[in-house]
């Protein structure tokens, strides 16, 4: 593609443009946190390559006068086969980042999944969502009482779906991030100077209260440790490295709503998730931020759909940048494509308006793609074998299925 | 290949050189319209990669003293296994672009397929063709009477073959084009300045009547809406998003000549085309301008030839740049290779002479290639299994066949 | 590999270095003639990629104290599994280029194959070879008497092997060369100036007699048409486009020595060659100079060896640049690896000494490679299955075999 | 990954950073010796590509509170599934390089394998190792008495494991190195000047005794030939090109400890190694320094593990740069991943501290990777099929197994 310049949200045509803008708008350390992948970025790049390697065979001459992108998650309607994935530190990209993401999600009729590490409280987010799908993501902590307390607050706030993230017990080796800090929470001099070059961001994010705090964790911390540093330290102390299926059983006891396990990739783990009471799974390699050299959710998808689609809802994240990526995932049997960086680029590029721009882009692209594929609704898309498995690893997955 | 400069038509050795010249001769917005692919250009690039991945096994020691490139489409002779594909806005590249394309097609004895969006009228083109194969491409419009009127004019003008394009009901997301315009029909300032740098083009194309009008649509429009903008608006209003096989049945009723469906890629759609009365199909992904991430016609070809070659004529377009590309298509069973950008580059580079140059290049290359393959005529070429399916996706297609 | 400079023959470590030197030493048009491939260089590059895609599995702990590179062609001993392929216009690279190539071939105990288009006469080459293997390559001409006369001279000069080239009936579309000339034999101004920048070359090649003449053709031409232009015109007039297997039968009648057909790639053509009396074949795509998009000899080799190795000698050319390439060809069953550009780079870089340098490099590399593979002689190498067919197209060939 | 600068050991995050530092710290000729691969670096690059082509499927929700990287080699415990491979000339990178490598190995509880070409004596290394695993690598020399003498010294020094290198009988064609020297041991002027630009290195390595000598060879040489030049000449004279399995039988007679054969890649050679009394093998292509175009140990591993893992210990080297590479090797059945350049980069970058840094990096990365894979110990890792064989050549190997 020819090079082009994007300086304003109005000029952005696609997620990549939002990424360009985001890089401009926020300090390097904050952009890097969103962008970084583990070690050599092998997983990060592989996620995209798998999408690129899939080819679609369109159908023609079907009535496309109405294209319906609505679907259901757990028999509840959503307007698009999307959701906004749980990500931490969102308030570093834009003031009250989680609230902005939540409002955009509400506007587009898709679930907002709030992270344990949200910079807003569950209750504040719930207030913005006004009854729209609010899912809560829980990092399982050593102290069961804390987990229970967070689940209680989530249930009270109206969350019907709980997401347990399994692949972050041991934090990924993100060298890009490590180079930004001289020690935890302390930026290198170069990065500090870079912050100074972003006064608008500083005014939006830092003024007058300083670095955002973790909205859900304050009640567990003494007031003088509410800072990001304090919260991060608390979580790293509390993160349960012994996390196993027994802890899932406890969660299952403690949580009566829908339970979704996020971070699974192996078919045997899906089988275990079902056995331990999960209602859905999010296939994920954490956007390439954890295990470098991991398979991609997309290449695992066909074999997993083949075996488990009738028993649970199968979502996936990691690498969605185009509506056609979403179409490919659904054509291979996924129920929903969950968004991480795509909407965060929008948030960093333009706050709530940026998030809405991101969702509008993906929504438009998906609708166009469905129309060009000859699929007037999501059910058609999910029922259609229209993918040529040119990617060798996907072929492998299909053969195993 | 070593870099080289091409400034005059006489220096151009191949289609790529014509492309280089075209980029020089016409304003950026017009070149971009020809050049642009949907979104990330994945389909656009994939089309070429599939050609490049195919290897031929030549035969030796066959009498090549005479090489005969003639063939038949619907039992009517053509001099070369080519046709010029329907493209709109041709008059933006060179004054009376369609007439120039038509005259060159006549000179080389190949069909000219006129677009609904032609900047010349059917009758004007017919006058130039003087009985040479004239095919008319119809965008099926909401108002059946308009379609009927256009078919009637085509039949009256001597067209024996009608082409229905199926894959443009929803226009592709061509971001390159979108960046050239601030709103439909209104160029950005930078592009306007760029136009000013092409006075020869302006003199040829714009003077004295301004932007060319759509020659076939004037009768349906009030005089003050004859402009390109008016025509484009009319078509976008009239484009039938509900286009389906029932509309093909209507067309079949309304048209007694040969009926060709363009834009199919799925074997099941070929079967439906036959059922609904098509005489031929043009496998096409619209030159990568519509669905980004589509399979290429070439990779679908073997499986489709295997099943349907005895029941209809199978043509294809999307990506032909060399005579050897044509040879590969015919060796895999296609009856004809249809040209879009290849001849448009010629038109933009040098008017009718440029189109003839493009056709002469491809004709010479095809003849040389046939001679080197040991195929003295098109029948030999079509009957020969001389392709090594190294491209994985083609292999897939062959295995399915 | 790190960049490095090569200015003198003594600094050259490998064929690529000789290529760098050659580019420096001779005018651009002459280097380009050696270097050029057809059209997009697809075949040229593919030839190398196939070699690169083949991996060897070495054997260990075999006595490598003596490594014997000798082999037999038609039961006659050669010191290395090489030959110098027939190429025309050699005198343009270095004065008396064919004689220098011949002397180097004699020194290394390998056949020299003289081209019909040699710039020396058969008899002059024979005088230099002093009984070393002298093969003569014949372009089959329209006038059988001329072919017979050339064969008679070759036999009288002691040639026991005749090579018929089949793939040059229609000359490849080498655009690089076409750009060097304003019309046949007339360089562009830029190329003429470039010649002037190579006074040493001019002194060696052009002084005092001008452009070298075709040594074998003078007797068929009036004295005033002995020039390269005249010879090239004569050959292009005489080149038999009707060349077919009947002409091979005639040759077989006219030639009692060994008959080798060069330019075959299809297994069915090997079968025909045997039927028509060939004693050997040279699998070749003419070094990528003829059909662009051709399979490579290496990928055709396994299937052809499997079926025909017991019935004829199978040689190949096109792309040998390293001793390990030769080892790969022999490990897949070839009897000999024939050299074109590799020794011409040497000739252009340093005359006879340059050719010897090229042969010494390849000889040393082959010996090292054999030692590292655990093959003490050529028979071991040819009997060994040590190739992993990672190249998909080769895999195809192996599966067919 | 974004570019970044590494100037001090403390800034290095991974082996690639140590490589960057090493290039800075030692003269070009010495870095080049470590870095160089044979000929076109095809093997060198292929080794890395095979690692990159392997994808892992992580397991989730297993208790990762304790990750145990210990394993056993020949039933003796090691702390990590690593060893430091035998490399010569280590003293050229840092004074007493072997002693520093040995001390770091001891500190991390992994074997140090001392080369015949060590710049320290067996006894000096043993003194540093203080009972930690000390393996001795023997180049089999023509004079059996010398080999016996070296084995005797190794046994007396406490070595229980002997490693015989098989793939260096004929030295690889490392052109990078050849370009650094005008003749053996004599640097080019450019490289001499480059040495002068590294005064710290010169002070560390050369002062006051000059170029390090081969510590194990002095007793076989007259005092005036102790120099590197003298030792290299002695070894090149003594290197047994007739090395074969009979010599292994002799070694087996002469050595009562564990016997490991290094440099095997062909399954039939593993079978022979077992027959001739080997206890283990190191699959290796000598880090791409010997046969260019070799298969990689990793792609041979699955077929060899399948057949021989129950009969001997299977180690491998060549290309380990990340903890995840080690995890992949173990997941495919290797017992240990042996390190060559990885620890040498550390040595050149920062002496013993640099080696420890390298080992800490790999150790941390392996632990993180195991945790993310859900493998709490090495046994779990080795028993797990979690590799997607997307690399075609590996697929080949798996299919053969």
């Amino acid at each position: 593609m020819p090079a082009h310049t994007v300086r304003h949200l109005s000029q952005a045509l696609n997620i990549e443009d939002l990424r360009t803008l985001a890089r401009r708008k926020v300090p390097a350390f904050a952009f890097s946190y969103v962008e970084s992948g583990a070690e050599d970025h092998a997983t990060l790049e592989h996620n995209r390559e798998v999408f690129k390697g899939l080819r679609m065979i369109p159908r023609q001459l079907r009535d496309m006068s109405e294209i319906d992108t609505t679907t259901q998650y757990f028999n509840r309607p959503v307007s698009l086969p999307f959701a906004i994935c749980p990500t931490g530190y969102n308030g570093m990209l834009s003031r009250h980042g989680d609230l902005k993401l939540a409002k955009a999600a509400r506007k587009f009729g898709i679930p907002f999944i709030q992270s344990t590490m949200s910079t807003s409280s569950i209750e504040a987010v719930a207030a913005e969502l006004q009854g729209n799908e609010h899912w809560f993501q829980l990092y399982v902590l050593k102290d069961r009482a804390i987990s229970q307390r967070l689940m209680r607050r989530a249930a009270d706030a109206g969350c019907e779906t709980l997401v347990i993230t399994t692949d972050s017990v041991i934090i990924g080796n993100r060298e890009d991030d490590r180079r930004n800090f001289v020690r935890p929470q302390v930026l290198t001099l170069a990065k500090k100077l870079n912050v100074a070059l972003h006064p608008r961001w500083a005014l939006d994010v830092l003024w007058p209260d300083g670095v955002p705090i973790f909205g859900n964790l304050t009640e567990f911390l003494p007031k003088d440790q509410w800072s990001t540093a304090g919260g991060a330290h608390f979580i790293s102390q509390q993160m349960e490295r012994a996390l196993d299926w027994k802890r899932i059983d406890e969660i299952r006891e403690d949580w009566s709503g829908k339970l979704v396990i996020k971070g699974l990739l192996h078919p045997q783990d899906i089988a275990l998730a079902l056995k331990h009471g999960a209602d859905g799974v999010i296939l994920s390699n954490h956007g390439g931020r954890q295990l470098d050299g991991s398979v991609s959710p997309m290449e695992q998808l066909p074999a997993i759909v083949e075996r488990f689609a009738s028993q649970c809802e199968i979502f996936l994240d990691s690498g969605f940048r185009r509506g056609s990526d979403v179409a490919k995932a659904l054509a291979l049997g996924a129920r929903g494509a969950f968004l991480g960086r795509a909407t965060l680029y929008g948030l960093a590029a333009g706050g709530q308006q940026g998030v809405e721009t991101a969702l509008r882009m993906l929504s438009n692209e998906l609708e166009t793609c469905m129309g060009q594929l000859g699929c007037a609704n999501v059910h058609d898309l999910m029922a259609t074998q229209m993918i040529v498995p040119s990617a060798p690893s996907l072929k492998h997955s299909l053969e195993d299925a």
Side-chain angles (χ1 to χ4, degrees), chain A:
Chain A
M1 281 166 294
H4 55 262
T5 313
V6 180
R7 289 174 186 278
H8 304 289
L9 202 55
S10 63
Q11 296 171 309
L13 297 191
N14 53 38
I15 299 296
E16 181 64 24
D17 286 350
L18 293 180
R19 178 171 173 252
T20 302
L21 267 181
R23 191 194 293 275
R24 222 178 247 274
K25 293 287 183 74
V26 304
F29 87 94
F31 181 75
S32 171
Y33 178 74
V34 174
E35 197 68 355
S36 65
E39 300 189 347
D40 300 315
H41 295 193
T43 301
L44 192 64
E45 291 165 11
H46 182 61
N47 284 342
R48 290 300 304 146
E49 283 159 15
V50 170
F51 279 114
K52 287 178 191 160
L54 295 169
R55 301 279 153 200
M56 298 174 281
I57 313 177
R59 300 301 305 267
Q60 301 297 329
L61 292 162
R62 297 164 163 201
D63 178 351
M64 290 295 121
S65 52
E66 300 291 334
I67 292 171
D68 178 2
T69 62
T70 63
T71 188
Q72 299 81 40
Y73 297 161
F74 305 119
N75 297 318
R76 291 195 295 264
V78 291
S79 303
L80 288 158
F82 300 161
I84 293 182
C85 265
T87 51
Y89 299 86
N90 293 335
M92 293 298 275
L93 299 177
S94 183
R95 182 187 294 258
H96 298 148
D98 289 273
L99 304 187
K100 292 170 178 171
L101 287 160
K103 280 188 275 189
R106 188 187 82 202
K107 208 158 168 179
F108 280 80
I110 61 171
F112 174 69
I113 314 180
Q114 187 179 6
S115 170
T116 298
M117 303 300 280
S118 172
T119 44
S120 298
S121 69
I122 298 173
E123 295 75 13
V125 166
E128 294 294 352
L129 282 173
Q130 301 179 5
N132 188 64
E133 291 268 327
H134 183 191
W135 299 14
F136 183 68
Q137 176 268 344
L138 182 70
Y139 280 121
V140 183
L141 304 178
K142 286 181 183 160
D143 183 345
R144 184 176 180 180
I146 298 178
S147 296
Q148 287 173 325
R149 169 68 187 149
L150 286 167
M151 286 187 269
R152 165 65 37 220
R153 284 172 59 190
D156 289 350
C159 297
E160 297 190 35
T161 304
L162 186 77
V163 175
I164 304 294
T165 300
T166 64
D167 62 355
S168 298
V169 168
I170 292 161
I171 289 299
N173 180 22
R174 295 169 216 159
E175 295 174 351
D176 305 335
D177 282 349
R178 287 167 64 192
R179 293 192 205 280
N180 292 334
F181 293 86
V182 288
R183 61 177 185 278
Q185 312 294 332
V186 181
L187 289 174
T188 61
L189 182 60
K191 299 304 168 186
K192 276 181 188 159
L193 291 172
N194 181 280
V195 168
L197 295 173
H198 292 80
R200 281 183 167 203
W201 171 87
L203 196 65
D204 177 39
V205 168
L206 303 181
W207 193 85
D209 298 322
V211 171
I213 60 172
F214 294 113
N216 295 319
L217 305 183
T218 50
E219 66 172 310
F220 312 114
L221 297 167
K223 177 94 189 188
D224 63 349
Q225 290 170 30
W226 282 18
S227 66
T228 316
H233 180 75
F234 168 77
I235 282 290
S236 73
Q237 294 297 308
Q238 274 288 330
M239 193 66 87
E240 178 57 284
R241 284 177 66 119
L243 180 65
D244 61 9
W245 292 105
K246 277 176 293 194
R247 301 302 303 273
I248 299 297
D249 293 336
E250 289 177 11
I251 302 281
R252 185 67 288 185
E253 281 172 32
D254 294 339
W255 178 261
S256 60
K258 295 295 179 186
L259 183 64
V260 173
I261 315 276
K262 172 171 178 287
L264 308 183
L265 288 168
H266 200 294
Q268 294 180 24
D269 280 344
I270 315 297
L272 285 168
L274 287 168
K275 192 175 144 197
H276 290 271
D279 302 291
V281 294
I282 305 174
L283 309 184
S284 172
N285 60 26
H286 218 109
R289 298 163 77 82
Q290 290 290 106
L291 173 63
D292 205 35
S294 174
V295 290
S296 90
M298 280 296 284
E299 64 192 328
Q300 294 302 97
L301 182 62
I304 287 170
V305 163
E306 173 84 5
R307 288 183 53 191
F308 303 108
S310 64
Q311 301 167 67
C312 67
E313 311 236 326
I314 298 164
F315 309 106
L316 78 171
D317 66 23
S318 302
F320 291 96
R321 297 290 180 276
R322 284 284 189 187
S324 57
D325 298 331
V326 176
K328 287 169 178 178
L330 268 71
L332 287 173
R335 179 157 289 274
F338 287 11
L339 309 171
R341 289 188 186 89
T343 33
L344 290 185
Y345 292 146
L347 180 65
Q352 181 178 339
Q353 198 191 344
V355 181
E356 292 178 21
T357 301
L359 290 171
R360 192 171 308 109
M361 287 167 175
L362 291 172
S363 167
N364 287 346
E365 286 172 1
L366 174 62
E367 201 171 316
T368 296
C369 184
M370 288 173 69
Q372 290 170 340
L373 287 171
C375 293
N377 57 56
V378 166
H379 182 267
D380 274 9
L381 194 54
M382 289 182 69
T384 312
Q385 290 291 333
M386 58 176 55
I387 301 286
V388 176
S390 64
S393 49
L394 185 72
K395 205 160 182 180
H396 171 81
S397 176
L398 287 172
E399 282 162 9
D400 280 5

